Amino acid sequence: MSQTDTAETAETAETAETAATTVNRTDGQDVSTTAGETAEETRPEWTSYDAGGETKLAVDDLDVHYGDDHALKGVSMDIPEESVTALIGPSGCGKSTFLRCLNRMNDRIRAASVDGSVALDGEGIYQDGVDLVELRKRVGMVFQSPNPFPKSIRENVSYGPRKHGDIETGLLARLTGRAEPDREEALVERSLERAALWEEVSDRLDDNALGLSGGQQQRLCIARCLAVDPEVILMDEPASALDPIATSKIEDLIEDLARDYTVVVVTHSMQQAARVSDQTAVFLTGGELVEYDDTEKIFENPESQRVEDYVSGKFG
Amino acid sequence: MSRATRTALVRDDRTAYEAAAGSAVGLSGIAFAVGLAALLGLVAIDAPVAGVGLSVALGAVLLALGAAVVGFGVASRTGYVDTGPQPSAGIVAAAAFTGIWVAVGAAASGAAGLGTGGRLGGGAVLGGVAFATTALPREDIGSTVPAGAVAGLCGLALISGVVGPGWEHALVGYNATLFGDTVVPVVVLFASLVTGWSAAKASGGFGARGRNVGAYVLIYLVVGSILAVLVGLVAFVAAKGLPGLLNGVSVGGAGLVSWPFLTNGAGLLADVAGVFPALVGTVWLVVGAVCFAVPTGVGAAVFLSEYAEQGRFTGAVEVATNGLWSTPSIVFGLFGAAFLIPRFGNQKSLIAGMLTLGFMLLPLVLITSREAILAVPDEYRDASAALGVSKWQTIRSVVLPAAIPGVTTGVILGVGRIAGETAPILLTMGGGVLPAKAAAPDVLGSFRLSASPPFVSNPALLEATSALPYQLYALITAGLSGNIRNPQEFAWGLALTLLLVVLAFYAVGIATRYYFRQKLHQ
Amino acid sequence: MSLTTPRTDWRASIERRLTRTRAFVDDADPEALAVILASMGSLLVAFVGFLLASAWTAVPFGAFLIAAGYGWVRHQALVARAVAFAMTTVTLVTLGLVVAFIFAESIPAFRYETASVFGVSVPGLGMFAQARWDAVSEPVRYSLLPMIHGTVMVTTIATLVAAPLGVAAALFVAEIAPPRVRELVKPGIEVLAGIPSIVYGFIGFTVINPWASDAFALNGGSTYLFVGMVVGLMALPTVVSVAEDALTSVPDVMKDGSLALGATDWQSMTSITLPAAFSGVSAAVLLGVGRAIGETMAATVMLAGVPRISDPLVNVFYGYETLTSLIARGYGSANGVHESALFAAGVVLFVTVLCLSVGSQYIEARMRRRLGGAE
C-alpha cells in the first residue's frame, strides 16, 4: 500500500492560503504594504470587464471576514460560461477564499462570515433555503493537494453519484435487484476518460487510489468531480503539488474541460494562468480584486501599475 | 454535455410539512423525557393525566406519533409534498427494523401461548414483513411505515391496558419478574426513540439530508444523555454528601474556620466523626507515588525521545508501557502484595501503597511526557544545535521547558486517576474502617537514623494506613454501620470528599491545559 | 520494527553496537566513565539487594545517590544520559517483575488443579475443565469458570453500552460539535473518567441494587445487568477519547473532498471518516473492553460474591462474581493454595488485557501506516 511516487506528492514550499492568514494592511488608499507594492487606488473600471457570452457566476460586492480579519473586500465580477477564468495573486490575497465562496465551502470555517451575493445562473447561492447538496453537485471543486478517498479507484469515481442516490450499489440493492453495475461501469469509464486517466488505470480499477502517483491522483479527483456532472469546476492550485510533466497534463485537461464546463482556477503560477485561461482576475494584498480582463490584456498591458509590477515579477 | 433537467438551488416550500415533522420530533422528545422520569420513579405510571392514567395517556401519544409518522411517509410518497427520498431506506434501517419486528413477533407469539416453535415462526414472519416493508419500497415509505407501526403497536398495548399499571410477567427460570412500573417507561422510551428518528428524517425531506437530520437527532440525544448522567451523578453525590461534609462547620472564633469532618478522626472522643486520617493518608499516597513516578517517567521519556534510536529497545519499552497502562489495577495490587509487602516488614504499609500506585502512575507519566516532548518542534532542537550547544544543554534549556505544559497536565490528570484507586491499596495498604485522629500518618516526623541496617527507618511509612477510597470500601463492606452517630451520612460525606479531591485534580489539570493553550495562541 | 529480520542482521547490529560502545569508551573522559560505572553499578546492586529483601539495600542505594550527585556536578551531560537510561529500563523491569511475581505466586494453584487429558497431565487445566470453586469444604476445588463467566457477562453488557455510545460521542466531539460546545463536552467526558470507581460502586450498592431488587422482584439486588451498565459507563470515556483521537487524525482534506462533491456531513462521516479511522475506532473499543474486564470495585461491592455459574447461562438478573471481585474480596483472608488461586485469577486477567492492549496497538500502528500513505 506504499506510495509509488512519493516525490510527486511531496509538500510544496508554497504556503497554502488558510483561514488564519493574516494580512498586514491599513485601511484606505494609502496602502503601504510589506510586499513591495506601490501605493495606488483601485479604479472600478479596471474590474468591470464583460467577457461576452452567458454569465455563469455573478459575484456582487462580496466581503469575507475571518473573525476580525477582513479577507475579501467588496469583490464584484462576472464569470462567463464555458471558459477558463484564472485567479492570480500573491499569497494571502484572498483568491482561495474567493474560490471557496463560490460553492460555499467557507461554511466549513465557522469564524468566516460572508456578505454580498453570488448568483449561479441568476439564482443567489447565499439566500435562505439553498440546498448545499444541490449547489455542490452543480459547482464541483478540485483541491490543492490531491485528496482521493482511501478506497478503490472505482469507488472514488462513483462516490458522488452513489451518495446522491443516482447509482445504487451495495448489498441491499443487489438483494432487491436494483443494482446497476453496468451503469456504474459506464459512468466510471466516461469520467475517467474525460479526465484523461482511463488508459492508465483501466486494468486496475479495484486498486486503492492511494497507490496512484500524485498526478494520477489529481486527475482521479477531477474525474470524481466530473462524475457528479457539475456545471462549474473550481480548482484551487490544482498543480501546485505536482511535477512539471504531471502539471502539463493537468493544464491540457483544463483547456479541454473548458469546452463543456465553466472552469475557475486559482493559481500561483503566472505562466500557468497565461497558458490555460481565457480571462484573468488579479487579487492583490488586502483581499481586493484589482484588475479583471482578457488574459492577454492582463499580461501584456494591464491598467494597474501594481498589476504590472506583479505580473512582471517585481513582488509577490 | 447537455443537461436535461436542472434542479433548482432553493427547495420548494414545504414549511408546513417540516414544521409538522419538527413538532413530531419535539413530541417524541417530551415522551422520552416523561418515560425517563417514570423509569427513575419521579412520576408514577398511574398518575392521573387528563382523566386517565399516565400510562394510557402515553399510549395515546405514541399512537398519535405512529400515525403522524406514517402520515409523513404517505404524504411524501403520494407527491403531496416534494421531498428527496432515495430508492430505498438502506441496509442499516432494514436490519434494525427486522430485528425489532422479530423481537415483537416472538414476544407476541409467546404471549399468545405458543411454544418455542411458535415464537420462532411468529418472529420470522413479522421480521420478514418488516424487512420487505423497509427495504423494497422507496425511502419515504420504508423508513416511516415500520417505525409508525412499532409506535402504534406500543401505543395500543398501553391504551388497552395489555401492558400497564399492575401488569406483571414472571420470567420463569430467571427468578425475576417484569412489572408494568418498569416495562411501560421502557416501552415509551424505545417507541419515542423510533418515532423521533423517523420524524427527524421526514423533517429533513428524507434522502441524504433526511438521514443527516435523523442521525444528528440520535447523536445529540446520546451526548445529552451522557452529560445528563455526569451532571446527575455529581449532583446526586453532592446532595447526599453535603450534610455529612458540612456537619458542624462553623466560622468564627478568632476568624478561624472549624471544619470537623475534615479535621477530626472517627475515634470515640470526637463529637463529630471525621475523615482526617484517610485524607492525610491519601495526600501522602499521592506524594509518594508522584515522587517515584514523575522523575522516572520523565527521565525515561527524555531518553526514549532524545537519545535512543528507534529500534527494538524503544519498541519493547513502548509495548511494555502500553501494557502496563492497560493492566488492571487489581493486578497491580496483587503485584504489590507479592513483591512489596514482604520487603517492607511483611505487613500492609503506606510505602507499599505509595510504590504500587507509583507503578500505576509511571506509564501514564511516561506516555504523556513523551507526547509532550515529541510535540516540541524539531526546529527548536536544530536551532540550538546549530549554535553549537551540546545535546544535554539543548534538552535542559530548550526541550524540557517547552514540554513542561504537556508534562504538567499529564501528571495532574494521572494523579487524579490514581487518587481515587481502591483496588491496589486494598491489597497493599489496608488501614482501619474508622481510624481515630491519632492514626493519621506523620511521615515527616518519623524518620529515624540507626547504626544498624537499614540505617534509615520510618515507622509511619511501614504502618497500615487508611485512605479515602479504601475507607469508603471498608465502610461498605462493614454494611454501612459503625461506632459513629450516623454511618450513612458519614459514608456519603466521605464519598463526596473523595469525589471533590479527584475532581479538583481534574479541574486543575484541565485548567492548566487550557491556560497553556491560550498562552500558546497569543 | 520488522519481525522478519534475518539472523545476520542481528549479528551485524550487535557488532555495530560494540564498535560504537568502544568508540564511546575511548572518547569519554576516564573519570566520567568511572563515575557512571560506579553509580550504575551501585544502582544495580541496590536493586538486587531489594529483590533479595536484604536489610543492607540502603547502602548501595546511598552510594548511587552520592556517585550520581557527584557526577551531576562534574559531568552533567553523561550522567543525565545514564540516569535517563536507567529510568527507561524501570518500565521494562516493572513489567518483568509484575509478570514474574504474579506467575510465580500462581504456580501452586496451577499445580493443585492439574488434570490429565489423554494421559498427559496439564497443570491448571482443572481450573477450566470443571465449574466448582470451593475453598472450604471438601472437595476443595478452584475452578475459575464461574468468575470467567461473570467477567464475560459484565464485559459484554458494558461493551454494548460503551461501544455505540462512545463512538457516537466521539463522532460528536470530533466532527459535529461547534467549537464552544466541544470545549465543554470534552472536559466533561474526561471528568467522567475521573469519578473514582468506588464512588460508582457506592452508588450502585446503596441506590441501584435496592432499586433493582424492588423493580424486578429479585432475591437480592446483585445483577450482572446493572453492574455491566455501571462498568460500561466507566469504560465509556476511554472509548470516547481514543476514538476521537483516531477520528481527528483523518486529514481534513479528505472530508472536504467528500463535502465538495455534495455529500452531507453524515455521509462524509460514515463513508469517509469512519472507514478511514476504522482501525483506530476498533482499537478504542478494544481498550474499552480491557477497562471493563479490569474494573474491580463496582463489581466487588455490587455483586453477591458467590462463585457460581448462573442458570440459565445468560441470566442477567443474577450477579455472582467476576475475576476482579474474587481477588478484591478474597485477598487477605485467603492463604496457601487459595491465595495462589487468586493470583491465578490475576494471571488470567493480566494475560487477557495484555493481549487486548497489544492487539489494539497493532491495529493502531496499521492505521497510522495506512493514513500515512494518504497524506
Side-chain angles (χ1 to χ4, degrees):
Chain A
M1 212 171 294
S2 74
Q3 195 89 23
T4 49
D5 200 344
T6 44
E8 267 188 303
T9 55
E11 281 296 313
T12 53
E14 284 173 341
T15 36
E17 283 172 307
T18 58
T21 311
T22 1
V23 181
N24 293 324
R25 108 177 268 290
T26 51
D27 260 342
Q29 307 99 315
D30 53 323
V31 188
S32 55
T33 67
T34 49
E37 299 175 31
T38 44
E40 174 187 58
E41 195 180 342
T42 311
R43 295 207 203 115
E45 62 262 29
W46 295 346
T47 58
S48 61
Y49 156 77
D50 181 15
E54 290 284 306
T55 298
K56 190 73 192 173
L57 281 160
V59 181
D60 188 34
D61 202 18
L62 191 70
D63 276 270
V64 178
H65 295 260
Y66 293 124
D68 296 334
D69 183 22
H70 202 167
L72 264 192
K73 286 194 160 166
V75 174
S76 303
M77 66 189 273
D78 289 347
I79 295 169
E81 197 175 54
E82 288 169 9
S83 63
V84 180
T85 307
L87 311 176
I88 62 172
S91 288
C93 67
K95 57 191 191 296
S96 282
T97 300
F98 177 76
L99 192 76
R100 291 170 73 94
C101 284
L102 300 182
N103 68 343
R104 292 188 59 174
M105 281 302 279
N106 271 337
D107 290 17
R108 288 266 287 156
I109 302 159
R110 290 176 203 274
S113 70
V114 179
D115 300 307
S117 81
V118 179
L120 174 65
D121 288 329
E123 245 188 312
I125 68 169
Y126 279 97
Q127 62 179 311
D128 288 341
V130 166
D131 189 348
L132 286 187
V133 171
E134 210 49 56
L135 170 68
R136 289 173 185 163
K137 268 159 88 172
R138 287 173 59 183
V139 184
M141 187 165 201
V142 176
F143 293 82
Q144 185 172 13
S145 53
N147 58 349
F149 305 132
K151 298 170 178 289
S152 74
I153 294 172
R154 187 199 314 274
E155 285 173 314
N156 260 284
V157 177
S158 61
Y159 180 84
R162 271 190 290 138
K163 292 298 128 185
H164 300 138
D166 298 339
I167 284 187
E168 279 200 89
T169 53
L171 189 59
L172 193 60
R174 255 175 280 155
L175 277 180
T176 54
R178 273 199 295 254
E180 302 158 298
D182 296 341
R183 250 190 54 180
E184 184 191 6
E185 214 52 35
L187 176 89
V188 169
E189 181 174 346
R190 185 156 32 97
S191 307
L192 284 171
E193 249 168 15
R194 199 73 182 79
L197 190 60
W198 176 250
E199 306 281 305
E200 292 160 61
V201 299
S202 58
D203 54 341
R204 47 177 173 144
L205 290 177
D206 290 312
D207 286 8
N208 194 316
L210 297 179
L212 297 175
S213 73
Q216 290 173 326
Q217 287 188 0
Q218 193 63 301
R219 275 177 286 151
L220 177 64
C221 291
I222 294 175
R224 185 174 76 182
C225 173
L226 296 177
V228 190
D229 198 19
E231 298 157 27
V232 181
I233 302 173
L234 309 176
M235 297 189 175
D236 190 356
E237 307 198 27
S240 69
L242 306 180
D243 65 39
I245 296 173
T247 302
S248 80
K249 280 189 186 165
I250 297 277
E251 286 175 1
D252 293 348
L253 182 56
I254 292 174
E255 285 192 89
D256 190 39
L257 289 174
R259 272 185 278 135
D260 299 314
Y261 302 92
T262 308
V263 180
V264 184
V265 56
V266 161
T267 175
H268 214 78
S269 143
M270 276 169 283
Q271 293 78 0
Q272 192 172 68
R275 274 198 296 272
V276 302
S277 69
D278 302 307
Q279 53 275 332
T280 298
V282 186
F283 288 76
L284 289 180
T285 316
E288 261 181 306
L289 173 64
V290 178
E291 193 161 351
Y292 176 42
D293 215 320
D294 275 335
T295 300
E296 244 169 74
K297 172 91 173 12
I298 291 282
F299 282 97
E300 276 160 22
N301 185 23
E303 304 280 346
S304 157
Q305 183 60 42
R306 284 199 288 159
V307 170
E308 183 161 1
D309 288 351
Y310 177 67
V311 296
S312 58
K314 285 198 182 145
F315 71 94
Chain B
M1 280 185 207
S2 66
R3 288 167 194 85
T5 55
R6 177 177 279 169
T7 25
L9 281 182
V10 183
R11 290 181 309 270
D12 275 1
D13 184 44
R14 48 166 202 263
T15 325
Y17 184 74
E18 268 175 28
S23 27
V25 176
L27 190 57
S28 305
I30 293 171
F32 188 87
V34 174
L36 201 62
L39 187 64
L40 296 176
L42 301 178
V43 287
I45 58 163
D46 48 3
V49 179
V52 289
L54 178 63
S55 152
V56 177
L58 283 172
V61 169
L62 289 186
L63 190 62
L65 280 173
V69 160
V70 174
F72 296 143
V74 172
S76 160
R77 185 69 185 94
T78 52
Y80 186 68
V81 276
D82 180 35
T83 54
Q86 301 208 344
S88 158
I91 190 86
V92 179
F97 280 121
T98 309
I100 290 171
W101 279 100
V102 165
V104 169
S109 325
L114 299 176
T116 315
R119 286 184 189 204
L120 285 178
V125 168
L126 277 186
V129 171
F131 181 83
T133 322
T134 317
L136 297 181
R138 216 170 70 170
E139 187 189 9
D140 40 10
I141 292 294
S143 60
T144 54
V145 170
V150 169
L153 193 70
C154 293
L156 282 178
L158 294 189
I159 291 177
S160 62
V162 170
V163 178
W167 176 85
E168 59 177 77
H169 174 71
L171 293 169
V172 187
Y174 281 67
N175 205 13
T177 311
L178 299 178
F179 292 104
D181 294 341
T182 41
V183 172
V184 169
V186 169
V187 164
V188 172
L189 288 179
F190 171 73
S192 59
L193 262 184
V194 172
T195 54
W197 169 78
S198 187
K201 274 190 91 164
S203 88
F206 303 98
R209 254 177 55 94
R211 288 178 194 197
N212 203 43
V213 178
Y216 273 33
V217 164
L218 291 187
I219 288 186
Y220 270 93
L221 187 70
V222 164
V223 175
S225 326
I226 292 176
L227 292 182
V229 165
L230 170 75
V231 173
L233 263 180
V234 175
F236 183 72
V237 176
K240 291 282 252 179
L242 273 179
L245 181 61
L246 298 178
N247 196 354
V249 170
S250 62
V251 185
L256 287 171
V257 179
S258 147
W259 198 332
F261 190 77
L262 297 185
T263 54
N264 280 4
L268 291 171
L269 296 176
D271 46 346
V272 177
V275 295
F276 181 70
L279 194 60
V280 176
T282 289
V283 169
W284 277 115
L285 255 186
V286 165
V287 169
V290 165
C291 284
F292 171 74
V294 170
T296 316
V298 175
V302 167
F303 185 83
L304 284 177
S305 38
E306 297 293 319
Y307 290 118
E309 286 170 46
Q310 293 301 312
R312 284 187 191 81
F313 180 69
T314 51
V317 173
E318 204 158 302
V319 171
T321 313
N322 287 331
L324 278 182
W325 183 74
S326 54
T327 297
S329 55
I330 190 80
V331 173
F332 275 105
L334 280 176
F335 167 63
F339 175 63
L340 295 172
I341 287 184
R343 285 164 182 75
F344 290 109
N346 250 329
Q347 59 160 356
K348 293 181 179 178
S349 62
L350 179 56
I351 190 161
M354 285 174 171
L355 286 177
T356 309
L357 287 190
F359 286 132
M360 281 191 70
L361 184 58
L362 175 62
L364 258 167
V365 174
L366 178 50
I367 291 172
T368 47
S369 311
R370 199 163 173 213
E371 269 171 19
I373 291 174
L374 286 179
V376 177
D378 266 343
E379 288 82 46
Y380 287 19
R381 297 184 182 88
D382 293 349
S384 180
L387 293 172
V389 178
S390 77
K391 185 153 196 162
W392 165 244
Q393 286 294 338
T394 306
I395 295 172
R396 214 182 62 165
S397 47
V398 176
V399 177
L400 282 183
I404 274 182
V407 174
T408 325
T409 315
V411 168
I412 296 174
L413 292 179
V415 165
R417 183 177 196 110
I418 59 155
E421 277 291 348
T422 317
I425 56 173
L426 168 67
L427 270 58
T428 55
M429 206 169 87
V433 182
L434 289 168
K437 188 166 185 179
D442 175 23
V443 175
L444 289 181
S446 306
F447 276 105
R448 303 273 178 279
L449 294 175
S450 60
S452 64
F455 304 109
V456 186
S457 69
N458 188 335
L461 283 178
L462 296 178
E463 268 169 21
T465 312
S466 202
L468 291 172
Y470 173 73
Q471 195 180 10
L472 185 55
Y473 171 72
L475 267 173
I476 295 171
T477 44
L480 291 181
S481 63
N483 208 358
I484 49 173
R485 209 164 287 148
N486 192 345
Q488 288 270 354
E489 193 185 271
F490 182 82
W492 280 107
L494 179 58
L496 179 59
T497 313
L498 174 61
L499 191 65
L500 288 180
V501 167
V502 172
L503 291 191
F505 276 115
Y506 271 79
V508 172
I510 291 168
T512 317
R513 185 174 58 199
Y514 192 74
Y515 168 75
F516 279 123
R517 212 190 303 150
Q518 291 287 309
K519 241 174 88 167
L520 201 71
H521 282 306
Q522 272 166 14
Chain C
M1 257 201 319
S2 86
L3 297 170
T4 54
T5 322
R7 288 187 57 198
T8 44
D9 262 25
W10 267 99
R11 216 168 287 157
S13 115
I14 289 173
E15 257 165 44
R16 218 171 35 242
R17 218 154 276 181
L18 272 181
T19 7
R20 214 178 302 152
T21 317
R22 222 170 284 137
F24 173 74
V25 170
D26 289 345
D27 284 351
D29 179 359
E31 191 198 281
L33 220 54
V35 171
I36 285 171
L37 279 180
S39 62
M40 292 297 116
S42 49
L43 188 63
L44 195 66
V45 172
F47 175 67
V48 172
F50 187 70
L51 268 189
L52 300 174
S54 157
W56 293 90
T57 305
V59 178
F61 191 71
F64 160 70
L65 287 182
I66 293 168
Y70 173 77
W72 188 261
V73 180
R74 296 291 305 272
H75 311 283
Q76 205 180 60
L78 272 176
V79 170
R81 186 174 177 164
V83 170
F85 174 73
M87 287 166 168
T88 311
T89 54
V90 169
T91 322
L92 283 174
V93 169
T94 307
L95 188 67
L97 286 176
V98 171
V99 172
F101 274 83
I102 308 274
F103 275 80
E105 294 284 338
S106 67
I107 287 175
F110 280 114
R111 277 227 187 96
Y112 181 86
E113 282 293 349
T114 302
S116 58
V117 190
F118 306 122
V120 186
S121 59
V122 183
L125 187 66
M127 286 179 178
F128 310 102
Q130 44 88 28
R132 178 183 164 86
W133 169 288
D134 198 323
V136 187
S137 50
E138 287 296 328
V140 172
R141 304 297 296 180
Y142 299 108
S143 167
L144 292 180
L145 283 186
M147 282 61 88
I148 292 177
H149 170 255
T151 299
V152 168
M153 294 283 279
V154 169
T155 308
T156 311
I157 296 166
T159 311
L160 289 179
V161 173
L165 297 192
V167 174
L171 270 179
F172 178 81
V173 176
E175 301 278 315
I176 300 174
R180 264 165 218 283
V181 180
R182 180 179 338 191
E183 292 290 319
L184 271 177
V185 173
K186 238 185 119 166
I189 287 172
E190 271 178 306
V191 165
L192 199 59
I195 297 178
S197 61
I198 188 68
V199 172
Y200 280 105
F202 184 52
I203 294 174
F205 178 77
T206 51
V207 180
I208 299 180
N209 276 6
W211 178 82
S213 165
D214 195 41
F216 297 100
L218 300 174
N219 184 15
S222 132
T223 58
Y224 286 135
L225 178 63
F226 291 105
V227 175
M229 286 172 140
V230 170
V231 171
L233 197 58
M234 282 189 246
L236 183 70
T238 310
V239 179
V240 176
S241 60
V242 179
E244 191 232 325
D245 281 349
L247 289 173
T248 34
S249 74
V250 176
D252 257 346
V253 290
M254 267 188 204
K255 299 170 206 164
D256 280 353
S258 169
L259 290 174
L261 287 171
T264 58
D265 287 310
W266 178 245
Q267 284 176 328
S268 308
M269 270 179 246
T270 49
S271 324
I272 303 297
T273 318
L274 266 182
F278 184 76
S279 343
V281 174
S282 17
V285 172
L286 279 188
L287 279 178
V289 171
R291 284 263 157 236
I293 292 177
E295 176 42 49
T296 310
M297 296 325 290
T300 308
V301 297
M302 285 177 75
L303 290 179
V306 188
R308 240 173 71 190
I309 294 182
S310 59
D311 175 51
L313 217 52
V314 292
N315 190 347
V316 292
F317 290 109
Y318 282 138
Y320 291 133
E321 193 81 298
T322 64
L323 286 167
T324 50
S325 72
L326 176 82
I327 303 172
R329 208 190 310 276
Y331 202 87
S333 57
N335 46 37
V337 181
H338 184 189
E339 190 182 276
S340 171
L342 299 184
F343 277 95
V347 167
V348 173
L349 272 177
F350 179 71
V351 170
T352 316
V353 175
L354 194 67
C355 287
L356 284 175
S357 156
V358 172
S360 67
Q361 281 178 66
Y362 172 74
I363 292 176
E364 268 190 303
R366 230 184 50 177
M367 163 173 173
R368 230 172 290 137
R369 274 204 303 277
R370 254 186 56 175
L371 276 187
E375 276 166 346

